[in-house]
Amino acid sequence: MKEIYFRTGELTVGYNGKALIKDIEIKIEKGEILTLIGPNGSGKSTILKSITKHLKTIKGDSFIADASIGSMTYKELSKLVAVVLTDRIRPEMMTCRDVVATGRYPYTGSLGILTEEDELKVRESMEKVHAVEIADKDFAAISDGQKQRILLARAICQEPEIIVLDEPTSFLDIKHKLELLSILRSMAKEKGITVIMSLHEIDLAQKISDKIMCVNGDRIEHFGTPDEIFKDDIIKRLYGITKGVYNINFGSVELPKPEGEPHVFIISSCGRGIDLYRRFQKENIPFYAGILYSNDVDYVVAKSLASQVFEEKPFMHISDDVYEQAVTAMKSCDRVINAGVEIGESNKRIGDLLSVAENLGILETI
Amino acid sequence: MENMNLNRSDKLKRYARYNAVFLLLFAAFVLITVLNINSGSVNISVKEIARIIFLREGDEMSYSIIWKIRLPRIVTSALLGGGLALSGFLLQTFFGNPIAGPFVLGISSGAKLVVAITMIVLIQYVNSISAFAMVCAAFAGALISMGFVLLASRQVHQMSMLLVTGIMISYICSAITEFLITFAKDTDIVNLHNWSQGSFSGMDWDDVWMCFVIIMITFAATFMLAKPIGAYQLGESYAQSMGVNIKRFRVILILLSSLLAGCVTAFAGPISFVGIAVPHIVKIALKTAKPIVVIPATFIGGGVFCMFCDYIARTAFSPTELSISTVTAIFGAPIVIGMLLKKQQKY
């Protein structure tokens, strides 16, 4: 059992003396990544601001290695915690290097003049986020993705034990999102820097975090490892999803399935049906899918999008029961689409299914 | 390695630029000083001036013109100009907006009002008011105005609205001042009227010393704040996360900028646009906003700018003297308008 590095004690946060979220219990080890997830306006930022002393806590305190943040001076805290905030900064006439160099603040003398060593640290931080080539550009003139990387470099440059990031991936495209998160990941694992952040992308949160905290308005719904948290019902309840599906295995979301009586039957396997499912879903045409083995990729997507999936356990012969149901359904359809399927010994009944469709004159093969 | 060298050469280029700007400022400072000493309604030759200044001898009238009129005026215009520009820089830092300044935010006018009241009330009991009392009154006035601006800034978060509020405060203060002047005793009026238009004239060496002490102390204090000011340029939250005690820092900024604006107003009346135009030009010239170079350059630049404007004020329609604000506005306002237009394009 490793030691707890950062924790909160009976922490209650809020604005202007009014409690918003009560009894926040965070416990994380050194080098772990904690991600706060939850709907917009659920209080993720409020918590982050409170544990970095930007906001006065209503009750309780946070502790870094058992030292109370509340009784630290800002100067002491600045050597332990660095932040990347959502505030859009618009510094006048500062190059990216200048912005990163502000991270050296806690270490420079009373006039803030950088030593050789400080400059080296600035350089290293920029290398870490792959931003050396934009070092001399005006900060105001670079893209959002680059800005975020520079701000991360600034935080790294501060040589903190903990980095707190408030929605660092907003405004970033997918490439930069992944880049940013992988930098955080390697910092946490290689340098033992503890990361506390909020993310909107729950799929990414699941993949990067060691601990997850679900924040929902007035309370913490869950705190635990991603395995414990990423269950369909927890996520659905947290975000109040009533339409659409959150897919646990893929960490992806699907829009709600088309409603109504299906008149299309899709036969496929090995992922070849997915494009078709999506097309029908977009056009809001309900459809059947089958017969699919439950370990097929098509199966996972079909479960979210098809009105009904005719399924069989992996590697088994297709049972009479399933076959009969599929045939009945097929007979109510105007179209049967074969998106591609290999027929072997155990699934030869799919071949039968195709012949039935052929005889009905409604089979299309693509 | 190549990057390292690039880094070096870039740094050298920066330093070369800083040096060039400071050299230029010093050159301008010397030039404008000489020009100022050398001009006036009485013609005194350069040779004579040099003799009077360096050897302290010469024709009695010329001697007293140089030592009692021209020199004190030059020194105060340099000091107060520097102070005013610095006050503008501090307010711009505080509000995070390049268009903030003691004049547009109504701080100079607040100082003016309290000074006017003090003059009118006190003159009934004492014959003359000490410079120190004037500075105190102006400082108090500047702080009161600043208080109103801060109250407004809690309510309105849009900078343009805050500026409008400042201008309104400025109008109200000016209106009350005008009202008081209208009903003041005749003898006060001439004095008060001249002063409320803004002028560097009528300084004696006691005033100069007082200016010197106040302005130099605040300048030194501001320079020592270069580091937190640099952090504050990234915004309050980031500054705090770097270890700046924001509450204390903000109070110090308010006190320093009010003291500077108050001191200038007490001696020379409200002077417009210097506080905005000078820091802006200095930043462009230096190509950076780093406080550690911008603060001294702004200070010297403000001095040079005000000396230049005072030169124009004295000589343009000699023997009639223009008010200093008339001249600073002519040179300063276009710069501010240019800034506004440029800002408009950017966002």
Side-chain angles (χ1 to χ4, degrees):
Chain A
M1 177 83 189
K2 272 181 147 181
E3 230 168 283
I4 297 299
Y5 183 67
F6 175 87
R7 67 180 172 89
T8 56
E10 296 178 347
L11 181 65
T12 298
V13 302
Y15 285 100
N16 304 324
K18 262 180 143 171
L20 192 68
I21 309 173
K22 285 180 189 156
D23 301 322
I24 302 162
E25 294 290 340
I26 301 174
K27 280 190 179 67
I28 45 174
E29 294 159 18
K30 202 169 171 56
E32 279 195 322
I33 297 179
L34 164 67
T35 305
L36 275 56
I37 60 171
N40 285 335
S42 60
K44 301 187 292 288
S45 294
T46 314
I47 295 176
L48 292 180
K49 278 182 194 156
S50 302
I51 61 174
T52 53
K53 225 178 153 172
H54 279 101
L55 200 61
K56 250 184 111 179
T57 61
I58 307 292
K59 202 181 116 221
D61 203 351
S62 316
F63 302 88
I64 301 172
D66 278 330
S68 146
I69 284 180
S71 48
M72 267 181 217
T73 63
Y74 288 112
K75 209 173 166 185
E76 287 163 345
L77 186 64
S78 68
K79 292 187 180 177
L80 291 172
V81 180
V83 295
V84 176
L85 304 166
T86 44
D87 305 27
R88 294 213 133 190
I89 61 163
R90 276 207 219 113
E92 262 185 296
M93 288 193 253
M94 278 176 98
T95 63
C96 293
R97 181 183 285 114
D98 292 341
V99 173
V100 175
T102 62
R104 297 306 298 164
Y105 189 96
Y107 307 97
T108 52
S110 58
L111 284 180
I113 294 164
L114 301 177
T115 62
E116 287 277 318
E117 196 199 330
D118 288 323
E119 301 215 5
L120 199 70
K121 292 259 162 66
V122 171
R123 246 189 85 72
E124 281 171 6
S125 313
M126 280 196 283
E127 272 166 9
K128 236 169 247 164
V129 300
H130 319 297
V132 180
E133 63 281 1
I134 54 168
D136 292 314
K137 283 202 178 159
D138 187 343
F139 183 81
I142 59 175
S143 74
D144 284 336
Q146 291 170 326
K147 277 184 187 162
Q148 209 64 355
R149 274 190 287 163
I150 291 295
L151 288 174
L152 179 61
R154 197 205 68 79
I156 294 171
C157 199
Q158 208 171 321
E159 297 189 302
E161 298 293 332
I162 300 177
I163 291 187
V164 176
L165 307 97
D166 195 359
E167 282 168 21
T169 53
S170 327
F171 310 115
L172 300 192
D173 59 33
I174 186 69
K175 171 182 174 235
H176 291 109
K177 270 180 195 171
L178 295 175
E179 217 172 80
L180 192 89
L181 291 179
S182 66
I183 294 167
L184 288 177
R185 180 94 225 161
S186 64
M187 267 183 2
K189 296 309 143 193
E190 285 159 25
K191 304 264 169 182
I193 293 174
T194 310
V195 176
I196 302 175
M197 65 178 159
S198 60
L199 278 183
H200 265 310
E201 299 84 354
I202 43 178
D203 48 332
L204 295 176
Q206 179 186 14
K207 282 152 202 163
I208 192 180
S209 317
D210 300 301
K211 294 278 161 56
I212 298 276
M213 187 157 92
C214 305
V215 186
N216 198 357
D218 53 352
R219 63 186 192 284
I220 303 302
E221 285 197 346
H222 296 278
F223 177 80
T225 62
D227 309 347
E228 293 163 359
I229 302 295
F230 283 91
K231 304 224 164 73
D232 195 37
D233 55 326
I234 291 182
I235 296 301
K236 269 194 159 180
R237 197 175 61 223
L238 175 63
Y239 285 91
I241 303 174
T242 48
K243 290 187 167 164
V245 176
Y246 171 75
N247 186 310
I248 301 297
N249 296 323
F250 294 164
S252 65
V253 287
E254 298 287 359
L255 290 168
K257 54 177 83 168
E259 280 169 33
E261 188 71 19
H263 295 290
V264 182
F265 196 110
I266 300 172
I267 298 173
S268 69
S269 70
C270 306
R272 278 171 291 207
I274 294 176
D275 285 349
L276 219 49
Y277 300 159
R278 295 214 191 285
R279 195 183 322 150
F280 281 114
Q281 193 246 11
K282 262 178 246 164
E283 286 167 18
N284 208 23
I285 299 169
F287 60 90
Y288 292 117
I291 298 169
L292 289 164
Y293 284 123
S294 57
N295 64 345
D296 198 306
V297 207
D298 279 358
Y299 171 80
V300 184
V301 181
K303 275 302 241 191
S304 307
L305 297 182
S307 306
Q308 195 182 343
V309 182
F310 302 98
E311 58 183 274
E312 186 53 81
K313 289 188 204 72
F315 314 115
M316 297 293 137
H317 286 280
I318 290 168
S319 68
D320 294 339
D321 196 24
V322 174
Y323 179 73
E324 287 308 325
Q325 282 177 26
V327 170
T328 317
M330 195 183 260
K331 282 182 176 158
S332 71
C333 290
D334 316 324
R335 301 170 72 187
V336 175
I337 302 170
N338 177 8
V341 60
E342 279 84 24
I343 295 167
E345 185 55 36
S346 59
N347 69 345
K348 58 177 188 280
R349 280 201 147 162
I350 288 184
D352 301 343
L353 211 56
L354 288 171
S355 333
V356 174
E358 180 101 66
N359 291 336
L360 289 170
I362 52 173
L363 181 68
E364 303 162 33
T365 306
I366 50 172
Chain B
M1 220 39 227
E2 195 187 325
N3 259 320
M4 207 70 173
N5 289 333
L6 267 175
N7 192 352
R8 284 265 156 72
S9 78
D10 182 71
K11 213 166 131 186
L12 285 178
K13 244 191 253 165
R14 273 194 187 195
Y15 286 165
R17 192 175 191 100
Y18 300 162
N19 283 335
V21 170
F22 277 100
L23 268 176
L24 203 74
L25 280 174
F26 277 119
F29 185 83
V30 172
L31 184 75
I32 203 75
T33 308
V34 172
L35 215 59
N36 257 328
I37 297 178
N38 208 13
S39 59
S41 44
V42 179
N43 240 330
I44 308 172
S45 72
V46 182
K47 213 173 124 195
E48 180 77 3
I49 291 172
R51 213 155 69 95
I52 289 170
I53 292 178
F54 296 110
L55 302 173
R56 300 233 174 183
E57 57 180 42
D59 171 60
E60 202 171 308
M61 194 184 74
S62 304
Y63 188 90
S64 89
I65 286 176
I66 296 292
W67 277 99
K68 292 211 173 129
I69 299 176
R70 291 194 191 166
L71 273 180
R73 182 167 182 158
I74 290 166
V75 179
T76 31
S77 63
L79 281 170
L80 296 182
L84 206 52
L86 214 52
S87 167
F89 174 75
L90 289 172
L91 289 169
Q92 286 146 28
T93 306
F94 187 89
F95 289 107
N97 189 303
I99 308 193
F103 195 79
V104 285
L105 288 175
I107 293 164
S108 298
S109 310
K112 178 173 94 167
L113 173 61
V114 177
V115 171
I117 294 172
T118 317
M119 275 171 116
I120 290 167
V121 173
L122 273 187
I123 215 117
Q124 297 179 355
Y125 305 100
V126 286
N127 276 337
S128 67
I129 301 161
S130 72
F132 183 71
M134 294 270 278
V135 173
C136 287
F139 182 43
L143 277 180
I144 292 169
S145 270
M146 188 74 186
F148 278 112
V149 175
L150 288 177
L151 272 182
S153 75
R154 286 190 156 191
Q155 301 296 319
V156 294
H157 295 285
Q158 228 179 323
M159 195 58 209
S160 52
M161 285 316 290
L162 190 64
L163 291 178
V164 172
T165 314
I167 291 165
M168 291 304 134
I169 292 174
S170 166
Y171 274 120
I172 293 168
C173 292
S174 294
I176 301 174
T177 314
E178 290 304 312
F179 179 83
L180 289 174
I181 290 174
T182 313
F183 288 95
K185 280 188 194 155
D186 281 338
T187 45
D188 313 338
I189 291 179
V190 184
N191 225 336
L192 207 55
H193 187 74
N194 278 340
W195 167 82
S196 74
Q197 297 297 309
S199 168
F200 289 120
S201 67
M203 301 285 173
D204 61 30
W205 281 104
D206 287 343
D207 296 338
V208 174
W209 274 113
M210 179 153 228
C211 274
F212 181 80
V213 170
I214 296 175
I215 302 274
M216 278 312 185
I217 288 174
T218 39
F219 168 68
T222 307
F223 188 71
M224 293 314 288
L225 279 185
K227 191 183 167 186
I229 288 174
Y232 202 78
Q233 284 171 338
L234 288 194
E236 213 175 286
S237 307
Y238 276 110
Q240 192 179 82
S241 82
M242 292 175 220
V244 180
N245 185 334
I246 290 296
K247 269 189 194 150
R248 203 175 62 194
F249 177 72
R250 286 173 68 105
V251 170
I252 295 174
L253 272 194
I254 290 170
L255 289 178
L256 283 179
S257 56
S258 302
L259 184 58
L260 284 168
C263 179
V264 174
T265 310
F267 287 108
I271 299 171
S272 57
F273 293 108
V274 179
I276 307 175
V278 173
H280 181 65
I281 293 174
V282 162
K283 280 180 210 160
I284 288 177
L286 291 168
K287 255 193 175 170
T288 183
K290 273 192 191 142
I292 196 150
V293 281
V294 171
I295 290 170
T298 297
F299 187 64
I300 303 169
V304 171
F305 185 71
C306 277
M307 282 159 83
F308 171 72
C309 289
D310 192 40
Y311 174 74
I312 303 279
R314 289 196 309 137
T315 56
F317 297 97
S318 152
T320 310
E321 216 177 88
L322 299 171
S323 83
I324 184 72
S325 257
T326 313
V327 187
T328 54
I330 288 170
F331 290 101
I335 294 169
V336 177
I337 293 170
M339 281 167 73
L340 285 171
L341 292 177
K342 209 173 146 207
K343 204 169 173 181
Q344 203 65 38
Q345 284 171 354
K346 236 190 208 165
Y347 301 110

